[in-house]
């Protein structure tokens, strides 16, 4: 790592206007690169064709090689981090260029895998056919996070055109399984512990306050998700013959799960903590506009709305295995399985949150039902140290690119490996950025990226590279 005075912040960005012109001229190529990646259905979840994830990684590697700046570009698969497993994770791309003349090194992270598209009937255009409507490009992964991958590529491309080959060290790490729990990332961080030990790490997997106002993400909730099986019977029984005397699993599940929330919808689990922190103004009207909350539906929770999302825990049921209405019969269901997904407020370990939730479930299990757990996934929350020069530089270049002051914001979602990055590379300054805006609808039907914001995000990163090179 380079020796850089952390108290110094560049007053201006070298050749900023030329970089702005280069980014604008290169935007059609960046959109074409993004569209090509969106066409590859690189879903990393079990049950999908992993050949598409491989194809996506190969295309990202090709884009990196075309830059001509990296000394090595590799598509890599490493074992998952689960004890006793010899399975390989999904292919990632690692591209490297060593620093010269004492310049700092920057690690650029994004992921090229995507969420499943869900029911295509809910999309206004095909999820893996990039479609331009107005100033937005629609498609699965258009925002989360293939736009992050292409933003890195396009920023380096613009930098080269204006400033030539950089003396700064560059590492591009495009992960292939972030949407499926980053199961091999610990192996990657160990395998590349020297390569990834950068002065600055940019994680381009978040978003901005709005289309016009840029943001640095300084807080992320952690994650705790697991499958819970609730069983009351050895086998199904006739609901007419035994209903009213024998508890079925559905009754037990409804009773048990309802205890997780208070009347106002806030979590009712003792031991889940909240964080006390100031938040910007954010009212119910903005919440309704950004989420599509129905006119008759009311928000849940208590306290400042944005604090409920950034600084308080939440619990959501994200799936249920039970007879469908179509297949319903007059029987007492013996077992029901649900997926419980909790978000953990910054300041609490995910393991502690899991133990609190399980203690609550065991204490409130009705009718002597049996509980079984599997599929546990834990991810730690994260708070960014905002005192370093890299954060100041990043806020300055984003303000330069967007024309508005940069907001420090929290995010209700989780990027669990960031906490691990901070633990493994304590001297690195971590910047969490992104191209999403409140209407990007990541993980949802009609996901999209706002192209003017995309251009500004590319410019912001190109300006950041230029500032880094001037140190």
């Amino acid at each position: 790592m380079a020796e850089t005075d952390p108290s110094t912040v560049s007053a201006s960005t070298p050749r900023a206007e030329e970089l702005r012109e280069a980014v604008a001229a290169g935007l059609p190529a960046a959109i074409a690169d993004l569209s090509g990646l969106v066409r590859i259905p690189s879903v990393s979840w079990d049950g999908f064709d992993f050949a598409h994830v491989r194809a996506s990684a190969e295309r990202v590697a090709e884009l990196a090689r075309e830059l001509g700046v990296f000394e090595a570009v590799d598509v890599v698969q490493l074992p998952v981090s689960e004890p006793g497993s010899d399975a390989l994770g999904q292919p990632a791309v690692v591209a490297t260029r060593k620093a010269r003349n004492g310049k700092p090194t920057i690690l650029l992270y994004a992921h090229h895998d995507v969420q499943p598209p869900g029911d295509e009937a809910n999309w206004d255009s095909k999820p893996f056919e990039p479609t331009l409507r107005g100033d937005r490009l629609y498609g699965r992964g258009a925002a989360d996070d293939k736009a992050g991958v292409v933003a890195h590529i396009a920023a380096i491309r613009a930098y080269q055109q204006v400033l030539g080959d950089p003396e700064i060290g560059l590492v591009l790490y495009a992960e292939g399984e972030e949407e499926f729990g980053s199961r091999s990332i610990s192996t990657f961080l160990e395998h590349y512990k020297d390569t990834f030990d950068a002065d600055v790490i940019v994680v381009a997997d978040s978003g901005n306050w709005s289309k016009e106002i840029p943001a640095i993400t300084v807080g992320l909730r952690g994650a705790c998700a697991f499958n819970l099986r609730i069983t009351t019977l050895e086998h199904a029984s006739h609901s007419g013959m035994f209903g009213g005397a024998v508890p079925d699993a559905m009754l037990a599940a409804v009773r048990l799960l309802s205890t997780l929330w208070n009347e106002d919808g806030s979590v009712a689990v003792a031991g889940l903590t909240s964080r006390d922190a100031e938040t910007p103004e954010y009212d119910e009207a903005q919440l309704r506009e950004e989420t599509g909350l129905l006119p008759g539906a009311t928000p849940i929770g208590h306290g400042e709305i944005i604090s409920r999302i950034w600084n308080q825990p939440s619990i959501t049921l994200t799936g249920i295995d039970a007879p469908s209405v179509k297949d319903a019969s007059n029987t007492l269901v013996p077992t029901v399985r649900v997926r419980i997904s909790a978000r953990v407020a910054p300041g609490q370990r995910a393991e502690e949150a899991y133990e609190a939730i399980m203690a609550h479930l065991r204490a409130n299990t009705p009718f002597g039902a049996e509980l079984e757990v599997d599929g546990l996934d834990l991810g730690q929350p994260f708070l960014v140290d905002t005192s370093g020069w890299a954060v100041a530089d990043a806020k300055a270049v984003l303000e330069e690119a967007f024309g508005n002051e940069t907001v420090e914001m929290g995010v209700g979602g989780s990027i669990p490996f960031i906490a691990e990055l901070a633990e493994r590379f304590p001297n690195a300054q971590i910047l969490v950025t992104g191209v999403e805006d409140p209407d990007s609808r990541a993980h949802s039907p009609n996901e999209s990226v706002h192209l003017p914001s995309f251009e500004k995000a590319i410019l912001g990163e190109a300006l950041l590279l230029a500032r880094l090179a001037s140190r």
Side-chain angles (χ1 to χ4, degrees):
M1 296 176 69
E3 292 295 330
T4 307
D5 183 355
S7 66
T8 62
V9 178
S10 302
S12 61
T13 305
R15 303 176 72 172
E17 285 308 310
E18 292 173 78
L19 285 169
R20 187 182 299 273
E21 292 170 3
V23 168
L27 184 62
I31 295 172
D33 292 339
L34 177 56
S35 297
L37 286 176
V38 169
R39 289 189 178 94
I40 305 172
S42 52
V43 180
S44 56
W45 289 32
D46 285 342
F48 289 81
D49 187 351
F50 294 155
H52 296 308
V53 185
R54 165 64 63 170
S56 179
E58 295 289 354
R59 178 53 186 153
V60 172
E62 185 179 1
L63 290 172
R65 293 187 186 105
E66 288 171 354
L67 293 172
V69 67
F70 291 109
E71 295 161 347
V73 179
D74 299 305
V75 176
V76 185
Q77 282 183 272
L78 293 177
V80 300
S81 308
E82 299 168 2
S85 175
D86 57 358
L88 289 176
Q90 297 289 1
V93 177
V94 179
T96 56
R97 177 189 178 89
K98 292 183 179 178
R100 293 163 174 77
N101 299 321
K103 294 295 184 180
T105 293
I106 185 168
L107 167 64
L108 304 174
Y109 169 92
H111 64 86
H112 67 89
D113 68 310
V114 299
Q115 285 274 326
D119 188 351
E120 289 194 17
N122 294 324
W123 288 74
D124 294 334
S125 52
K126 291 185 179 298
F128 295 110
E129 182 54 47
T131 303
L132 183 64
R133 294 197 294 275
D135 55 8
R136 306 190 75 95
L137 182 71
Y138 291 81
R140 175 59 85 227
D144 184 17
D145 184 32
K146 290 179 175 178
V149 174
V150 175
H152 292 326
I153 297 290
I156 295 170
R157 188 183 290 149
Y159 178 98
Q160 284 181 288
Q161 290 174 3
V162 175
L163 296 165
D165 282 347
E167 291 187 328
I168 59 173
L170 287 173
V171 180
L172 173 67
Y173 175 33
E175 190 192 354
E177 55 186 0
E178 194 275 343
E179 299 293 11
F180 197 57
S182 296
R183 296 175 187 272
S184 64
I185 199 164
S186 293
T187 314
F188 269 91
L189 298 185
E190 176 62 27
H191 185 81
Y192 288 101
K193 59 186 177 182
D194 295 329
T195 302
F196 288 179
D197 191 10
D199 297 272
V200 179
I201 299 175
V202 176
V203 178
D205 191 21
S206 187
N208 294 302
W209 182 253
S210 70
K211 293 181 293 186
E212 296 80 20
I213 300 175
I216 294 286
T217 297
V218 299
L220 291 154
R221 290 194 293 188
C224 168
F226 56 93
N227 302 323
L228 178 71
R229 184 179 295 277
I230 304 155
T231 304
T232 58
L233 295 164
E234 292 182 354
H235 57 78
S237 296
H238 196 297
S239 62
M241 301 177 93
F242 299 106
V246 175
D248 62 289
M250 190 70 77
L251 169 61
V254 170
R255 281 283 188 90
L256 173 59
L257 297 172
S258 69
T259 69
L260 292 171
W261 300 278
N262 294 309
E263 284 297 317
D264 65 1
S266 60
V267 296
V269 176
L272 290 184
T273 64
S274 298
R275 174 174 174 255
D276 185 18
E278 292 186 8
T279 55
E281 291 186 7
Y282 184 99
D283 59 18
E284 184 176 323
Q286 187 171 351
L287 179 73
R288 289 182 178 278
E289 179 182 355
E290 293 180 359
T291 62
L293 187 66
L294 294 176
T298 60
I300 61 174
H302 55 263
E304 294 294 329
I305 288 179
I306 203 67
S307 185
R308 302 175 205 176
I309 301 171
W310 293 358
N311 299 320
Q312 295 182 24
S314 68
I315 298 177
T316 307
L317 298 182
T318 57
I320 182 166
D321 290 335
S324 67
V325 172
K326 177 183 176 183
D327 296 324
S329 62
N330 293 325
T331 55
L332 301 173
V333 177
T335 187
V336 170
R337 190 172 76 145
V338 299
R339 182 72 174 173
I340 295 177
S341 176
R343 301 293 176 169
V344 183
Q348 182 170 41
R349 297 284 298 180
E351 295 88 351
E352 181 183 331
Y354 170 68
E355 291 300 330
I357 295 169
M358 287 308 304
H360 176 96
L361 292 170
R362 294 188 186 102
N364 289 276
T365 303
F367 312 121
E370 295 181 359
L371 304 182
E372 299 176 68
V373 173
D374 65 73
L376 175 63
D377 286 319
L378 297 175
Q380 303 303 333
F382 181 67
L383 291 172
V384 174
D385 179 1
T386 61
S387 63
W389 55 263
V391 172
D393 269 354
K395 291 173 67 175
V397 297
L398 287 173
E399 181 175 344
E400 201 170 353
F402 279 77
N404 287 304
E405 187 175 351
T406 304
V407 172
E408 292 183 5
M409 74 176 196
V411 170
S414 309
I415 311 178
F417 72 85
I418 294 181
E420 190 170 358
L421 279 177
E423 291 175 2
R424 286 178 177 263
F425 308 115
N427 296 320
Q429 298 184 70
I430 298 176
L431 307 174
V432 184
T433 66
V435 302
E436 297 174 31
D437 66 88
D439 201 35
S440 287
R441 304 187 190 183
H443 295 199
S444 301
N446 299 310
E447 178 182 348
S448 69
V449 63
H450 180 246
L451 294 177
S453 300
F454 181 48
E455 178 180 0
K456 292 170 185 175
I458 295 170
L459 175 58
E461 187 164 303
L463 294 172
L464 180 62
L465 295 178
R467 285 199 177 212
L468 210 61
S470 69
R471 288 189 171 275

